Amino acid sequence: MSSATTTATTTISTVGPPSRRNTELALLVFAVVIPCFAYANVGLALSDEMPSGMLGYGVGLGLLAGVGHLVVRKFAPYADPLLLPLATLLNGLGLVLIWRLDQSERLARTAKFQGFTFQASAPNQLLFSAIAIALFVAVLVFLKDHRILQRYTYISMVVALILLVAPIFFPGKNGAKIWIVIPGLGSIQPGEFAKIILAVFFAGYLMVKRDALALASRRFMGLYLPRGRDLGPIIVVWVLSLLILVFETDLGTSLLFFGMFVVMLYVATERTSWIVFGLLMSAGGAAVVGTFEPHVHVRVMAWLHPFDVFTTGQGTEQIAQSLFAFGSGGVFGTGWGQGHSDLISFAANSDFIFATVGEELGLAGTMAMLLVYGLIVERGVRTALAARDPFGKLLAVGLSAAFAIQVFVVAGGVMGLIPMTGMTMPFLAQGGSSVIANWALIAILMKISDTARRPAPAPAPSPDAEMTQVVRP
Amino acid sequence: MSELTLTVMRLGFLAVLWLFVIVAVQVIRSDLFGTRVTQRGSRRGGQDRQPQRGAAAQTAATPPQQRQQSGGRRAKGGGRGAPSKLVVSEGTLAGTTVALQGQTISLGRAHDSTIVLDDDYASSRHARIYPDRDGKWIVEDLGSTNGTYLDRTRLTTPTPIPLGAPIRIGKTVIELRK
């Protein structure tokens, strides 16, 4: 530590950074051991014996982390040392949580009762994690420089729009149309991928347009008011996100995209007025749609009166059960495997997985998890500060903002702070698209931080060296 | 499984989880607490730890204004007056620093520049800053359209950079600092 504390650090970039890959390796071992501990704990609590899949699971997670680490060593040697261990820890704990809920007899019985065959989700999730790590590796290997993405600014806009619009043409599940169903293969949630692609578009677009958005404005009551025509982009994105809310009836996706755009607009222009406009517009839009659109209205009512279901018998008791779970967890929780969060029944291991954390790990564990998410976001923003090109800065900010907003929207929904949405907790929740997309997001952030922290190339030979030679007779 | 074992495991798990968070924060401690202001000539002995930590906390609250390096570190950067970093002090990239380690630093709008300028007045390959054989840092304009200014004068030939002198390219100002 003494070398680190005496090293003169500036507030912006890490001066003369060692690559810190060994730090990453140590943290990574730690991040694999913690989920193994949790896994053993669940087994001991549920059936008094070490779970049989322990070895396979631990080796599987370790292998994934190891492959990720080796590829980072080779292809992004100067990348941030924290992102990979933090994401690995979350992914590992997510696997344990899903496996723990697989063991619940109550969930199995409910599924049978409703005519489904109950399937364990943990093996699938491990498979998706493997695919996700493969994509992580692919991004690190093939994305030589994040600035290449800048060339695809408008292509990514089109792709993102297609991804966002596509779910409308597929049947909705549980009211929200956020899925593309491929017959025989399963379904994907395109919104998860669209957030990365949209961040690329916003970064490329705002980098070009930001001067017009920042400079041409009048000052009024301490706020810079943009000119009417400069309001164009924000209005377009706002209308789009409202359309998502109306046609896909998903508040989460809508909030995510609008929020990400406003954050990036603010970062690009340094004008607080955009935040004010953004908040007003999203609040106004959500209020109007929440009143008139029936499905969204149901969700808002379930949020405002979660316990009505017990008196009137109408609606879902998921939110109430989730609040009970958090309540019965208390400060230190009930311990792994000893809670009753499976009472949430439907979507207990996807949308509502954070309630299991709340019940079995308590406030202490929930705070630790949120801090881990916070650290990922912090590393992302830090990467943005250190990046030496405007596009990289904006992209890193956009990706971390998307990640942060997603965590806020999901955790807020489960805890009853905002209406419940169809988004998933990154890395924790069961669901392939989410895990895969978020590992890709981490890979891009690591690539940017690798470029930002890499010492500049070796000194070029001075052009005027050895130009004149003294020829002695 | 006995109640006691489970309780120990439950609290043990929380402790391990928090330990991980704390270790992670320790890794980025230098980022979180900003610049350390150490008194000139102070040594990093054990007795100095306490006041320094206080100073670090203080800088976390107020933005760091000035940094003084301890003597041991400066010797590494060459002579006493040798600059150790390049700081962008004005413009859209304000606040960015680049450590000077004997490499050539290119400035311009081109994507592969060391410092990518996002400035209407900058050319794609605008200027470069490099050390000459004596370790003095030289700025050279690479035939840019709008010119590179050292203090108030437009550069025509490669010129040594005095410490702290502003180099202006369009709206961007950079300078060398110790």
Side-chain angles (χ1 to χ4, degrees):
Chain A
M1 205 59 224
S2 79
S3 70
T5 47
T6 47
T7 301
T9 47
T10 61
T11 43
I12 301 301
S13 76
T14 333
V15 175
S19 72
R20 309 205 79 175
R21 287 278 74 84
N22 292 332
T23 316
E24 180 184 84
L25 183 59
L27 275 172
L28 210 50
V29 171
F30 203 172
V32 172
V33 168
I34 293 178
C36 289
F37 182 9
Y39 198 88
N41 198 343
V42 174
L44 287 175
L46 286 178
S47 55
D48 263 8
E49 56 189 19
M50 291 296 271
S52 55
M54 174 92 189
L55 192 68
Y57 168 79
V59 169
L61 186 64
L63 216 61
L64 291 182
V67 168
H69 176 72
L70 287 179
V71 173
V72 170
R73 256 184 205 270
K74 179 87 174 68
F75 289 95
Y78 294 96
D80 194 282
L82 275 175
L83 285 170
L84 183 60
L86 291 171
T88 307
L89 176 71
L90 288 173
N91 198 345
L93 287 179
L95 284 166
V96 176
L97 285 166
I98 292 164
W99 179 76
R100 179 254 170 281
L101 289 169
D102 281 349
Q103 310 303 309
S104 153
E105 284 170 20
R106 190 179 284 126
L107 286 181
R109 215 164 41 228
T110 317
K112 211 175 192 176
F113 185 67
Q114 290 173 338
F116 301 117
T117 45
F118 180 74
Q119 280 181 323
S121 321
N124 258 339
Q125 185 73 0
L126 193 56
L127 180 69
F128 284 131
S129 305
I131 297 174
I133 292 286
L135 185 63
F136 174 85
V137 166
V139 170
L140 286 182
V141 172
F142 293 112
L143 185 66
K144 297 270 184 254
D145 188 338
H146 62 270
R147 294 166 201 171
I148 295 171
L149 294 174
Q150 200 178 346
R151 293 182 204 152
Y152 304 113
T153 300
Y154 289 94
I155 293 179
S156 52
M157 176 188 77
V158 174
V159 172
L161 280 182
I162 292 173
L163 283 179
L164 282 179
V165 170
I168 294 180
F169 303 104
F170 291 91
K173 276 189 198 170
N174 321 312
K177 291 186 171 187
I178 48 177
W179 299 88
I180 295 180
V181 184
I182 305 168
L185 276 177
S187 48
I188 58 171
Q189 210 172 351
E192 295 281 349
F193 298 96
K195 78 180 173 200
I196 298 177
I197 299 171
L198 265 187
V200 172
F201 164 61
F202 287 158
Y205 171 78
L206 288 174
M207 196 195 127
V208 178
K209 301 282 183 200
R210 68 168 163 200
D211 278 349
L213 294 173
L215 298 177
S217 55
R218 283 162 293 152
R219 219 178 140 82
F220 175 71
M221 280 173 57
L223 280 181
Y224 286 94
L225 293 185
R227 293 177 302 182
R229 59 186 152 180
D230 292 334
L231 281 171
I234 195 172
I235 288 178
V236 169
V237 177
W238 180 65
V239 169
L240 264 178
S241 63
L242 281 189
L243 288 179
I244 294 172
L245 187 56
V246 171
F247 287 106
E248 300 181 5
T249 61
D250 186 46
L251 179 69
T253 320
S254 166
L255 263 185
L256 178 63
F257 296 135
F258 190 60
M260 183 168 85
F261 183 69
V262 170
V263 169
M264 290 176 79
L265 199 54
Y266 169 65
V267 170
T269 60
E270 302 175 29
R271 289 276 182 268
T272 328
S273 50
W274 290 119
I275 298 268
V276 176
F277 275 106
L279 286 178
L280 288 179
M281 286 164 89
S282 57
V288 171
V289 176
T291 319
F292 294 112
E293 221 286 328
H295 179 78
V296 181
H297 185 70
V298 168
R299 291 234 165 154
V300 171
M301 281 301 130
W303 163 61
L304 288 176
H305 312 286
F307 300 114
D308 274 10
V309 60
F310 298 117
T311 50
T312 62
Q314 285 178 336
T316 169
E317 57 179 61
Q318 279 173 305
I319 293 179
Q321 290 291 1
S322 160
L323 293 177
F324 288 153
F326 276 103
S328 67
V331 175
F332 293 110
T334 58
W336 281 103
Q338 295 156 76
H340 299 285
S341 55
D342 46 2
L343 281 169
I344 295 169
S345 148
F346 180 72
N349 64 1
S350 50
D351 295 10
F352 283 92
I353 199 160
F354 211 55
T356 306
V357 177
E359 177 159 15
E360 306 204 335
L361 301 184
L363 180 67
T366 311
M367 283 298 152
M369 295 290 242
L370 287 178
L371 264 181
V372 170
Y373 280 115
L375 282 174
I376 291 184
V377 174
E378 194 269 347
R379 291 329 283 166
V381 175
R382 174 78 197 166
T383 298
L385 278 176
R388 288 197 286 260
D389 64 299
F391 178 74
K393 269 184 199 302
L394 280 175
L395 183 58
V397 162
L399 292 176
S400 7
F403 194 85
I405 293 171
Q406 189 169 353
V407 171
F408 169 77
V409 164
V410 180
V414 175
M415 294 179 189
L417 185 66
I418 57 171
M420 191 63 201
T421 67
M423 304 236 72
T424 52
M425 205 71 181
F427 296 117
L428 280 191
Q430 185 261 334
S433 315
S434 169
V435 173
I436 294 172
N438 283 308
W439 272 110
L441 188 152
I442 295 288
I444 297 176
L445 277 183
M446 288 188 77
K447 203 70 205 181
I448 300 175
S449 80
D450 175 48
T451 317
R453 292 160 52 101
R454 184 187 293 271
S462 177
D464 46 14
E466 308 295 328
M467 270 214 320
T468 47
Q469 288 189 351
V470 182
V471 182
R472 293 177 194 282
Chain B
M1 199 48 42
S2 75
E3 194 70 18
L4 180 68
T5 323
L6 286 177
T7 309
V8 169
M9 284 192 96
R10 168 167 71 116
L11 297 180
F13 181 80
L14 289 176
V16 171
L17 193 58
W18 273 99
L19 186 66
F20 181 86
V21 172
I22 291 166
V23 169
V25 170
Q26 281 299 319
V27 171
I28 54 172
R29 192 173 169 278
S30 53
D31 289 357
L32 287 180
F33 290 101
T35 316
R36 284 166 53 81
V37 178
T38 41
Q39 289 307 309
R40 235 172 239 278
S42 81
R43 294 186 28 79
R44 49 170 146 123
Q47 68 273 43
D48 273 345
R49 268 286 150 75
Q50 263 347 86
Q52 281 176 0
R53 199 157 278 176
Q58 211 173 11
T59 29
T62 59
Q65 314 91 344
Q66 201 188 357
R67 186 166 55 86
Q68 295 167 333
Q69 291 177 324
S70 58
R73 168 97 181 151
R74 191 185 300 130
K76 235 173 116 187
R80 277 191 82 78
S84 72
K85 60 177 177 167
L86 178 153
V87 179
V88 181
S89 55
E90 278 177 45
T92 48
L93 285 174
T96 303
T97 61
V98 178
L100 299 175
Q101 287 159 337
Q103 78 279 29
T104 298
I105 292 172
S106 53
L107 301 131
R109 289 157 72 103
H111 293 317
D112 55 349
S113 312
T114 316
I115 295 183
V116 182
L117 298 170
D118 174 33
D119 196 324
D120 290 342
Y121 295 95
S123 304
S124 61
R125 307 215 180 274
H126 197 105
R128 65 187 179 114
I129 293 175
Y130 58 93
D132 68 0
R133 264 178 293 180
D134 311 329
K136 250 191 274 164
W137 288 86
I138 310 287
V139 57
E140 179 184 10
D141 187 88
L142 299 173
S144 63
T145 313
N146 293 307
T148 306
Y149 293 81
L150 182 64
D151 272 334
R152 299 281 175 76
T153 47
R154 184 164 177 164
L155 293 177
T156 46
T157 54
T159 315
I161 314 167
L163 210 60
I167 301 165
R168 181 179 290 274
I169 295 172
K171 286 173 283 183
T172 306
V173 177
I174 57 180
E175 54 191 76
L176 298 189
R177 289 192 194 155
K178 271 198 283 197

